[in-house]
Amino acid sequence: MTLIDLRSDTVTLPTEAMREAIQRAPLGDDVFGEDPTVARLEKMAAERLGKEAALLVVSGTMGNITSVLTHCARGEEVILGDSSHIFLNEAGGMSALGGIFPHTIPNQPDGTLRLEDIEAAIRAENIHFPRTRLICLENTHNRCYGAPLTPEYTASVVALAKRHHLLLHLDGARVFNAAVALGIDVRELTRGCDSLNVCLSKGLSAPVGSVICGSHEFIARARRTRKMLGGGMRQAGIIAAAGIVAIEEMTDRLAEDHANARRLAEGIAGISGLATDPSRVRTNILYIDLIDRRFSDEEFLKRLAKKGVRLSHTGPSRFRMLTHYGIGEKEIDAALKALHNVMQGCY
Ligand SMILES: *Cc1c(COP(=O)(O)O)cnc(C)c1O
């Protein structure tokens, strides 16, 4: 029985080309700024994402916290979505580590924040209020079915931020998925953002790492923040070598993951007892609801696991599935068969 792990695109293993690149990578001490492979990755990532400079960090969470701590001082406020990864899934780092105040506003089903809601959340100058410093967007939006934010929408938030003298951070963990889904250059989605985070270790299949990008000045300050967080790494070219392959070779193929996610959603829509919305699937993330109450969420997961299929549990009766490198049409069809059989009660 082959294991079909749809819990996350983080389960992807490094490709053969990555393993070879790791083997061959020239190395040095990156805390001294002497690792040529890290330097190459950072230069390449900056160019590809349309920014002056980049910085390799351990994870997306470290990329976001490094960016937020670099932008904001204690007592300052960040406007972000109430379904955002930074708010929900990063251990409250901005408050715990930075004394920074999160001000949440609703994420719309398409992952956007309404411009009116952002404007209303911006604080007036008044000694009673914290100072608003930063707005965060997320593209693609994890909790909102992997929705890609468009360049037009991003530009409208960039303009709003500029008008109010605020900074804008993009949690672009899957921003390459957004660019591929929209059929555009990724720079159209990063233009005007003061900083952004991109994960190399999700659909792009690198074993470890994210990069943050921004101006030379921002990245110089972020380098100090990363050091403070314990993220100064020595022969990090071992990681960067795989990251280079991720950016060079693994972005275009994300289209396959998107097609597979649609195939999966369309199949699930035809299975009684389960519900999903195939029309919302634009990238590699989908959510399903267990409507049939014959078995509990735990029982549903257990029966699927017995058939080699794993999903993640994201709420009562709600599950998330992600397609990724290593999951092809064959695996999608096998997963659909397993779901069908579990719902039919044959196991
Ligand atoms: C995965 C993810 C992160 C964090 O990345 P880690 O490497 O898991 O720390 C941040 N934002 C979004 C939207 C993500 O999906």
Side-chain angles (χ1 to χ4, degrees):
M1 183 177 73
T2 52
L3 181 68
I4 303 172
D5 195 342
L6 302 169
R7 287 173 303 165
S8 178
D9 47 7
T10 54
V11 300
T12 43
L13 298 176
T15 65
E16 210 43 57
M18 288 177 185
R19 291 175 192 269
E20 278 165 27
I22 290 167
Q23 181 85 26
R24 286 194 319 265
L27 302 173
D29 187 334
D30 185 55
V31 177
F32 293 142
E34 292 172 3
D35 189 298
T37 308
V38 172
R40 208 177 125 218
L41 169 67
E42 291 178 346
K43 183 163 182 287
M44 196 183 127
E47 271 169 25
R48 186 74 188 269
L49 290 147
K51 298 293 167 194
E52 289 175 5
L55 183 69
L56 174 66
V57 292
V58 170
S59 64
T61 301
M62 184 182 269
N64 286 329
I65 191 63
T66 300
S67 301
V68 172
L69 289 175
T70 303
H71 287 311
C72 303
R74 297 187 75 78
E76 292 184 337
E77 192 170 70
V78 175
I79 296 172
L80 77 176
D82 60 0
S83 299
S84 64
H85 195 279
I86 297 180
F87 182 64
L88 293 177
N89 296 313
E90 301 188 10
M94 72 170 78
S95 303
L97 303 174
I100 298 159
F101 205 45
H103 186 162
T104 57
I105 58 178
N107 274 113
Q108 301 304 310
D110 64 358
T112 60
L113 305 172
R114 290 171 61 220
L115 300 182
E116 308 85 278
D117 290 345
I118 300 176
E119 299 241 47
I122 297 170
R123 306 286 191 153
E125 181 56 40
N126 181 315
I127 60 161
H128 296 86
F129 300 155
R131 262 211 182 94
T132 308
R133 178 68 66 202
L134 180 69
I135 301 168
C136 295
L137 292 178
E138 183 173 317
N139 196 7
T140 62
H141 203 288
N142 190 330
R143 279 262 157 179
C144 299
Y145 258 78
L149 306 183
T150 64
E152 296 74 24
Y153 172 74
T154 308
S156 67
V157 179
V158 167
L160 187 160
K162 291 220 181 337
R163 211 158 55 239
H164 292 275
H165 307 290
L166 300 177
L167 298 167
L168 179 60
H169 172 71
L170 177 68
D171 178 3
R174 296 186 185 81
V175 73
F176 282 111
N177 291 82
V180 166
L182 298 168
I184 58 176
D185 188 295
V186 71
R187 283 170 280 217
E188 292 191 45
L189 299 170
T190 62
R191 190 173 298 138
C193 297
D194 296 286
S195 59
L196 64 107
N197 161 58
V198 181
C199 289
L200 305 172
S201 66
K202 294 188 168 166
L204 302 185
S205 306
V208 183
S210 288
V211 282
I212 57 175
C213 304
S215 67
H216 286 302
E217 187 271 336
F218 168 79
I219 291 295
R221 289 189 294 120
R223 202 173 282 283
R224 180 184 297 259
T225 310
R226 182 188 67 172
K227 188 78 181 105
M228 182 180 75
L229 293 170
M233 295 176 282
R234 301 299 181 180
Q235 285 73 35
I238 292 277
I239 296 169
I244 290 168
V245 177
I247 294 180
E248 276 179 347
E249 296 182 7
M250 300 299 285
T251 59
D252 291 347
R253 65 153 303 285
L254 294 172
E256 292 171 34
D257 297 342
H258 302 172
N260 285 330
R262 270 192 306 277
R263 186 183 182 89
L264 186 58
E266 280 158 13
I268 289 169
I271 298 177
S272 73
L274 296 178
T276 187
D277 186 351
S279 72
R280 287 185 74 182
V281 179
R282 304 282 307 279
T283 61
N284 69 328
I285 302 180
L286 60 129
Y287 286 83
I288 68 172
D289 293 306
L290 179 63
I291 307 292
D292 186 330
R293 299 315 303 163
R294 271 176 309 166
F295 26 70
S296 65
D297 291 1
E298 290 69 29
E299 187 62 24
F300 175 63
L301 284 174
K302 216 168 89 191
R303 290 185 189 204
L304 275 173
K306 268 201 209 149
K307 295 180 178 302
V309 176
R310 303 184 75 180
L311 331 177
S312 64
H313 194 195
T314 56
S317 315
R318 181 148 256 232
F319 304 86
R320 193 185 70 164
M321 300 165 122
L322 278 89
T323 54
H324 52 79
Y325 180 66
I327 300 287
E329 279 185 13
K330 193 167 110 248
E331 286 74 21
I332 296 297
D333 293 343
L336 284 170
K337 189 164 166 227
L339 284 159
H340 180 263
N341 287 344
V342 165
M343 297 316 291
Q344 292 293 308
C346 27
Y347 49 87

